[in-house]
Amino acid sequence: GIQVEQSPPDLILQEGANSTLRCNFSDSVNNLQWFHQNPWGQLINLFYIPSGTKQNGRLSATTVATERYSLLYISSSQTTDSGVYFCAVPISGGYNKLIFGAGTRLAVHP
Amino acid sequence: DTAVSQTPKYLVTQMGNDKSIKCEQNLGHDTMYWYKQDSKKFLKIMFSYNNKELIINETVPNRFSPKSPDKAHLNLHINSLELGDSAVYFCASSRPTSGLYEQYFGPGTRLTVT
């Protein structure tokens, strides 16, 4: 089945720093989602991004489907950005069954 | 105004008991899902229903039985709970699976089996 790999697994930042999280997938996909799981456990939708680039405030995401990767950019990080970031892709023909990566655990220190 | 809601938020119970988790969505979606997040934060799909019909049934012990009384609700009943069932269970919903649509997740139910 499709493999989804995220890097780095852990990331520690000082407030105000920028970072790039990466998601590689082993097969072609028709869409991709980025989520933020905050320290309270909520899964928050960040981006639904099959291809191209989207921006939402300090966050932006780029998916290059032909090269099977997606990037999540966090600029001017804040302590509230802490948590785990997941990317997820659906299996082709799999009834929108999402396969999640293992996540990137981000800690932003003041 | 909560889009996808789950009850209860926390559930602590003893081995051997039977428990249920409820999920409701007010997004007008036709498809609902159950995911399990283990202690290492790994998320994996368990079940999916489309318009009350079971369409995804992963390799899950048959002690787990989903039920969808209508397309806005998806419940998860677990019989004879085991220690390994301790996890966070997330409900999600999306538009019909005829396309590939964004999934929205509930707040999760943290199940602890002692």
Side-chain angles (χ1 to χ4, degrees), chain B residues 23-25 32 49 52 67-75:
Chain B
C23 177
E24 176 180 2
Q25 54 92 6
M32 297 183 73
Y49 271 75
K52 303 193 295 176
K67 282 191 172 55
S68 182
D70 55 62
K71 70 177 189 178
H73 296 84
L74 180 62
N75 303 324

Side-chain angles (χ1 to χ4, degrees), chain A residues 47-96:
Chain A
F47 294 101
Y48 173 76
I49 182 166
S51 62
T53 297
K54 290 187 178 180
Q55 178 141 15
N56 184 1
R58 295 180 297 103
L59 272 58
S60 65
T62 295
T63 295
V64 184
T66 53
E67 297 187 21
R68 300 181 185 174
Y69 73 89
S70 183
L71 302 174
L72 178 69
Y73 306 96
I74 305 174
S75 64
S76 304
S77 58
Q78 300 176 359
T79 55
T80 52
D81 295 331
S82 297
V84 184
Y85 289 80
F86 293 100
C87 68
V89 299
I91 288 185
S92 176
Y95 297 105
N96 210 15

Side-chain angles (χ1 to χ4, degrees), chain A residues 89-91 94-99, chain B residues 33 35 45 56 58 100 103:
Chain A
V89 299
I91 288 185
Y95 297 105
N96 210 15
K97 170 176 149 180
L98 283 182
I99 303 300
Chain B
Y33 312 80
Y35 288 82
I45 192 165
I56 295 176
E58 291 295 289
L100 295 174
Q103 292 187 27

Side-chain angles (χ1 to χ4, degrees), chain A residues 29-31 33 35 37-48 84 86 90-102 105, chain B residues 9-10 31 33 35 37 40-45 48 55-56 58 88 90 94-97 99-108 110:
Chain A
V29 299
N30 293 323
N31 73 36
Q33 286 189 244
F35 297 90
Q37 187 167 36
N38 64 22
W40 296 270
Q42 282 183 292
L43 272 170
I44 300 163
N45 288 37
L46 296 178
F47 294 101
Y48 173 76
V84 184
F86 293 100
I91 288 185
S92 176
Y95 297 105
N96 210 15
K97 170 176 149 180
L98 283 182
I99 303 300
F100 280 79
R105 194 182 302 262
Chain B
K9 191 166 173 59
Y10 300 97
T31 309
Y33 312 80
Y35 288 82
Q37 185 174 44
K40 295 184 178 178
K41 299 279 193 182
F42 187 69
L43 275 151
K44 188 174 179 183
I45 192 165
S48 176
I55 56 171
I56 295 176
E58 291 295 289
V88 180
F90 285 96
S94 73
R95 289 169 64 191
T97 56
L100 295 174
Y101 295 103
E102 188 171 3
Q103 292 187 27
Y104 295 86
F105 283 72
R110 183 175 294 276

Side-chain angles (χ1 to χ4, degrees), chain B:
Chain B
D1 287 312
T2 304
V4 184
S5 59
Q6 295 180 227
T7 54
K9 191 166 173 59
Y10 300 97
L11 189 51
V12 181
T13 187
Q14 291 185 325
M15 284 174 54
N17 285 348
D18 303 337
K19 290 293 178 186
S20 291
I21 306 171
K22 296 187 176 183
C23 177
E24 176 180 2
Q25 54 92 6
N26 63 6
L27 296 167
H29 290 165
D30 290 310
T31 309
M32 297 183 73
Y33 312 80
W34 280 112
Y35 288 82
K36 179 181 179 181
Q37 185 174 44
D38 63 22
S39 58
K40 295 184 178 178
K41 299 279 193 182
F42 187 69
L43 275 151
K44 188 174 179 183
I45 192 165
M46 301 172 69
F47 302 104
S48 176
Y49 271 75
N50 184 52
N51 249 329
K52 303 193 295 176
E53 179 186 351
L54 181 65
I55 56 171
I56 295 176
N57 187 355
E58 291 295 289
T59 309
V60 176
N62 58 16
R63 298 182 294 103
F64 289 79
S65 52
K67 282 191 172 55
S68 182
D70 55 62
K71 70 177 189 178
H73 296 84
L74 180 62
N75 303 324
L76 183 66
H77 188 76
I78 316 171
N79 290 326
S80 303
L81 278 155
E82 300 178 357
L83 292 175
D85 297 332
S86 294
V88 180
Y89 293 86
F90 285 96
C91 176
S93 74
S94 73
R95 289 169 64 191
T97 56
S98 55
L100 295 174
Y101 295 103
E102 188 171 3
Q103 292 187 27
Y104 295 86
F105 283 72
T109 295
R110 183 175 294 276
L111 171 65
T112 303
V113 182
T114 61

